[in-house]
Amino acid sequence: MLAHSACPANQTTPFTPSRNFGRSLAALTPELFGRALRMARSPQIAEDLVQDVFLSALTQLPGLRTAAAFRGWLFAIARNRAVDFHRRLRPAAGGAN
């Protein structure tokens, strides 16, 4: 999946961006879109969520410790973005009277 420099199994090496980042995103896009669609129930909103996930992943990439965690990390971002989306839709508790 994502290539990174060889290291001992018990040592983590920070993940660094490479050309494989784009390929990995492309490979996961259909599954990400499917999950976003199930969470958002709108193709347009799902597309927006996936795009937001990609932007977030790109900006947070330096925090990813290992390439092996990439898929789970990316789907966690997607879940968090969907939760944020639903929170914005929900009226504030105890709204103004």
Side-chain angles (χ1 to χ4, degrees):
M1 186 168 191
L2 294 171
H4 61 88
S5 60
C7 63
N10 62 353
Q11 179 183 356
T12 59
T13 299
F15 178 74
T16 55
S18 71
R19 61 189 173 139
N20 291 336
F21 177 74
R23 274 192 247 154
S24 296
L25 287 180
L28 292 171
T29 297
E31 189 178 356
L32 272 172
F33 179 77
R35 287 198 186 179
L37 185 58
R38 283 191 298 280
M39 292 184 272
R41 297 184 181 134
S42 162
Q44 294 81 14
I45 293 171
E47 287 175 4
D48 289 346
L49 286 172
V50 170
Q51 184 176 9
D52 191 39
V53 168
F54 289 169
L55 289 172
S56 294
L58 188 58
T59 59
Q60 296 175 29
L61 191 59
L64 181 62
R65 294 187 177 204
T66 64
F70 182 76
R71 185 180 184 283
W73 174 77
L74 194 63
F75 281 91
I77 293 172
R79 181 192 64 239
N80 292 339
R81 291 295 173 257
V83 168
D84 292 344
F85 167 75
H86 285 291
R87 270 194 202 126
R88 286 191 301 264
L89 290 181
R90 192 176 345 149
N97 292 337

